């Protein structure tokens, strides 16, 4: 007998992209275990709907390549250090998810066989088919590419139906920073081209272009709202969708 309490998910396979800073909690650096556990619980609630989940986590809570480069470090070296930071975050998320009973695989674009699997596309797809969460680490494996671009790349390779961008402090895309401007307006929908033309802070330009070229929708939502991730998959919640259509503002303004 069907479970009438379980909503039918909007997407069958998704990419969840979160920043490394999302794992810091109120700290200024590193990992905050209760925050990692909370995000893992959000992921489990969506996994319980039967959704196949890919994840990419940034490394900015440990080391950000662009910042290192700005301080005089060679850009390539700084970017590789940032990639290693994403592996640390991926392992932390794997641990938290498996404590919740969710089988998880960390798949690294940089080989480190003792702690993560190497990226082999067909093997990763098979993990998803077996309902394992796949956390893709190490970016694309190349300097000069961000984890945003890695998320868009892996989402396309894994045939995900959408990229979900979990943000801290904002529940979508605004025409200006809602934390600094009380009259900021939130988009319900916005086109890929408008994101690029107006330099809206969603993902970097390479990631937006890759999503646009493959018609992959990007959904921006608040990671701070309990149940927000599950709500979107159930067809509810507050978010902004980036797609190929025309743009539309939400009815309300930011508080």
């Amino acid at each position: 007998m069907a479970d009438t309490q379980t909503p039918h998910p909007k997407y069958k396979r998704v990419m969840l992209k979160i920043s490394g800073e999302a794992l810091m909690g109120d700290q200024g650096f590193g990992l905050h275990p209760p925050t990692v556990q909370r995000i893992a619980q959000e992921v489990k609630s969506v996994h319980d709907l039967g959704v196949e989940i890919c994840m990419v986590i940034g490394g900015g809570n440990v080391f950000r390549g662009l910042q290192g480069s700005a301080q005089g470090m060679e850009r390539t070296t700084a970017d590789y250090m940032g990639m290693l930071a994403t592996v640390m975050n991926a392992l932390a998320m794997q641990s938290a998810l498996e404590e919740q009973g969710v089988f998880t695989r960390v798949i690294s674009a940089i080989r480190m066989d003792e702690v993560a699997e190497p990226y082999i596309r067909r093997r990763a797809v098979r993990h998803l088919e077996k309902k394992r969460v796949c956390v893709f680490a190490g970016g694309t494996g190349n300097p000069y590419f961000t984890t945003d671009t890695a998320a868009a790349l892996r989402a396309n390779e894994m045939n995900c139906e959408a990229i979900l961008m979990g943000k801290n402090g904002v529940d979508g895309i605004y025409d200006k920073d809602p934390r600094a401007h009380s009259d900021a307006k939130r988009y319900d929908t916005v086109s890929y081209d408008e994101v690029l033309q107006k330099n809206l802070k969603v993902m970097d330009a390479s990631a937006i272009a890759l999503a646009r070229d493959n018609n992959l929708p990007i959904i921006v939502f608040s990671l701070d709202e309990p149940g927000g991730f599950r709500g979107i998959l159930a067809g509810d919640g507050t978010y902004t969708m980036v797609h190929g259509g025309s743009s539309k503002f939400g009815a309300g303004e930011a508080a």
Side-chain angles (χ1 to χ4, degrees):
M1 185 173 65
D3 182 4
T4 57
Q5 301 300 313
T6 302
H8 184 72
K10 188 174 180 180
Y11 302 108
K12 295 180 181 178
R13 182 180 293 174
V14 299
M15 166 64 72
L16 174 63
K17 168 62 171 68
I18 61 177
S19 67
E21 288 88 346
L23 306 184
M24 292 192 308
D26 295 330
Q27 301 175 158
F29 178 82
L31 292 162
H32 183 239
T35 299
V36 179
Q37 288 286 351
R38 178 182 64 79
I39 295 173
Q41 289 168 2
E42 296 279 335
V43 174
K44 180 182 186 302
S45 71
V46 172
H47 184 266
D48 289 345
L49 296 177
V51 177
E52 296 170 2
I53 302 171
C54 306
M55 292 185 71
V56 168
I57 307 172
N61 59 319
V62 179
F63 187 88
R64 186 180 293 278
L66 277 175
Q67 291 177 350
S69 178
Q71 294 171 5
M73 184 178 291
E74 182 195 15
R75 173 66 188 271
T76 301
T77 299
D79 280 355
Y80 277 120
M81 291 173 66
M83 292 179 215
L84 296 178
T86 71
V87 177
M88 295 171 64
N89 286 340
L91 292 172
M93 183 57 62
Q94 178 186 44
S95 177
L97 283 167
E98 294 198 332
E99 283 183 23
Q100 303 284 333
V102 178
F103 293 112
T104 307
R105 295 293 184 270
V106 172
I107 302 172
S108 175
I110 300 175
R111 289 193 70 106
M112 45 184 74
D113 296 344
E114 287 77 11
V115 298
E117 293 185 7
Y119 177 69
I120 300 172
R121 178 185 172 274
R122 292 174 65 89
R123 181 188 292 178
V125 169
R126 187 64 180 137
H127 286 319
L128 293 170
E129 291 171 348
K130 291 183 176 181
K131 306 302 179 185
R132 297 166 182 158
V133 172
C134 288
V135 186
F136 294 100
T140 66
N142 303 285
Y144 294 93
F145 290 93
T146 68
T147 52
D148 284 349
T149 302
L153 175 64
R154 298 294 184 234
N156 280 298
E157 289 180 302
M158 295 297 108
N159 295 317
C160 292
E161 297 173 358
I163 300 174
L164 281 85
M165 292 283 296
K167 295 287 189 178
N168 298 97
V170 291
D171 58 359
I173 303 170
Y174 288 77
D175 61 343
K176 47 193 166 184
D177 188 348
R179 292 165 290 193
H181 303 276
S182 62
D183 60 342
K185 294 183 179 180
R186 185 180 59 80
Y187 290 95
D188 278 344
T189 62
V190 63
S191 68
Y192 302 111
D193 288 339
E194 193 163 3
V195 168
L196 293 172
Q197 290 164 6
K198 294 188 174 182
N199 195 27
L200 299 175
K201 303 299 183 184
V202 185
M203 305 174 87
D204 66 69
S206 298
I208 293 292
L210 186 56
R212 179 192 62 190
D213 292 347
N214 293 278
N215 198 29
L216 183 66
I218 302 167
I219 297 171
V220 182
F221 71 103
S222 173
L223 200 62
D224 300 324
E225 180 184 348
F229 185 25
R230 180 185 171 97
I232 291 170
L233 271 296
D236 301 318
T238 301
Y239 57 87
T240 298
M241 179 176 286
V242 183
H243 59 83
S246 58
S247 302
K248 183 175 71 172
F249 277 119
E253 294 183 351

